[in-house]
Amino acid sequence: VAAAASRRRGRPEPPSDAGAAPHAPPSPPRRGAKKGAAANAKKAAAEVPVVEPLRWEQVAKVMPSMDAVVKVFCVHTEPNFSLPWQRKRQYSSSSSGFIIGGRRVLTNAHSVEHYTQVKLKKRGSDTKYLATVLAIGTECDIAMLTVEDDEFWKGVSPLEFGSLPALQDAVTVVGYPIGGDTISVTSGVVSRIEILSYVHGSTELLGLQIDAAINSGNSGGPAFNDKGKCVGIAFQSLKHEDVENIGYVIPTPVINHFIQDYEKSGEYTGFPILGIEWQKMENPDLRKAMGLKSDQKGVRVRRVEPTAPESGCLQPSDIILSFDGIDIANDGTVPFRHGERIGFSYLISQKYTGEKAHVKILRNSKVLEFNIKLATHKRLIPAHIKGRPPSYYIVAGFVFMVVSVPYLRSEYGKDYEYDAPVKLLDKHLHAMAQSPDEQLVVVSQVLVADINIGYEEIVNIQVLSFNGKPVKNLKHLATMVEDCNEEYLKFDMDYDQLVVLEAKTAKAATQDILTTHCIPSAMSEDLRT
């Protein structure tokens, strides 16, 4: 920062001693050279041209924009999936954000997830201002905040967005990472542009890979190009033993989509998807067997989501030839700028929920065209619970819950994809919801009591049916149990497990179990309405 400040004042940066690259040793002075050495040195110093630092222009342009970068303080209170009737102990975090037009601030969604209080602090200020969260976009990992206090907005110019940078373009990431309280500047270049896996959002969207360090606390900070325009938001880094300094930035097309989505509907509606699974058509025998001509290319539809609008027109083994008039290659890519290609899901992510797309397909050697309405993904096991408390229902000590990715992560840790039960993982990775309200209901745990003796070891096993009727979702199960007039409560579970309880005694024992464990209610608020 000191070096950057000296550049801002227009002075050349003084040569650094510590850690500098080794120089060639100076030649020994010739005999008789001492006479007039001082005069020669003076003359040589006058002849040496003042060399501008290589990145002076870039840093000078970023400097005025730095005042728009803010520090975000958040107090989080996460849901407790082991004890769903209460929340975990609150904790605090800090991250970065930046001011954009319309009295708004952007940061990362994971910076304010499960927030109870958010405060912002401007650079050089000692005041923290209370912020209001306007929208959280979990898929794209962006959140939008605002501040009511007029004082916060005085003397700050909002950042302007630049276009998508090219490979090897210089970028400067500004934020408040760990290791200090003041602003931090790291610089690098764009090393890759492709469809990336957004870890927090469990989605794949366009992303930039840069070789600048993005550390904890940098999240939500802007990435500037050499003209001082914002070209992205820092949001994750690659932690691996074989990797150094690989950071990822959310690019402007994704940011603009989030902002315009909010402006259109007053809330975040998400990124639409084409509700299919597809396979590449690179094998020539496969193409021939599917009836593709030599000049036709595309991808084969493997499965169609039953809940997606596409289920009305697309079928398995259809070949998708083009999307919105852009031809799709056999490997699923489309042209992207000069000399580059990118996955065709990029085209879909550019659209908005509810918009229509023109799709051309090949079915039984005939070309068909459809205008398909695009919608967001309805997963059987949702990637997020969107800030809501988890649903639960308790009867006779059996705690019934809905499986979601946060639930699996809470139960089995960050390596849940290796440690969770195989049947739940199979549903997570491959199962498709048959109806919009379908949920995967499990017995999370059994609160031990005399009534449930012998069932103590049932943990995270799916409930398939109750008294012979298939379980659609948790509310459906709770309603069936509450309204049951039969003698027994019979729960059929995965792995052919059977739980049988006498209805009257089971319902009577529930209240005592709730009292013992200090549980306020037998079911969560959302099931009571």
Side-chain angles (χ1 to χ4, degrees), residues 17 33 97 101 108 121 141-142 153 200 206 217 240 246 262 291 302 395 397 446:
D17 294 328
N108 281 143
K121 190 172 84 167
D141 202 5
I142 307 174
W153 306 102
H200 174 76
L206 187 67
H240 192 276
I246 287 187
Y262 175 77
R302 285 166 44 208
V395 64
V446 179

Side-chain angles (χ1 to χ4, degrees), residues 202 377-386 388 402-408 428 438-440:
S202 303
H377 197 181
K378 168 66 183 83
R379 293 183 177 172
L380 179 62
I381 295 183
H384 292 275
I385 58 170
K386 298 186 177 171
R388 294 188 296 266
V402 177
V403 179
S404 61
V405 171
Y407 176 84
L408 292 174
H428 165 50
E438 186 180 352
Q439 292 176 325
L440 199 149

Side-chain angles (χ1 to χ4, degrees), residues 279-287 298-299 329-333:
Q279 78 173 87
K280 296 177 181 179
M281 295 283 290
E282 292 176 308
N283 185 279
D285 297 339
L286 175 63
R287 290 201 298 273
V299 293
N330 292 320
D331 62 351
T333 61

Side-chain angles (χ1 to χ4, degrees), residues 38-51:
N40 288 340
K42 206 171 183 181
K43 185 181 174 188
E47 288 172 0
V48 172
V50 177
V51 180

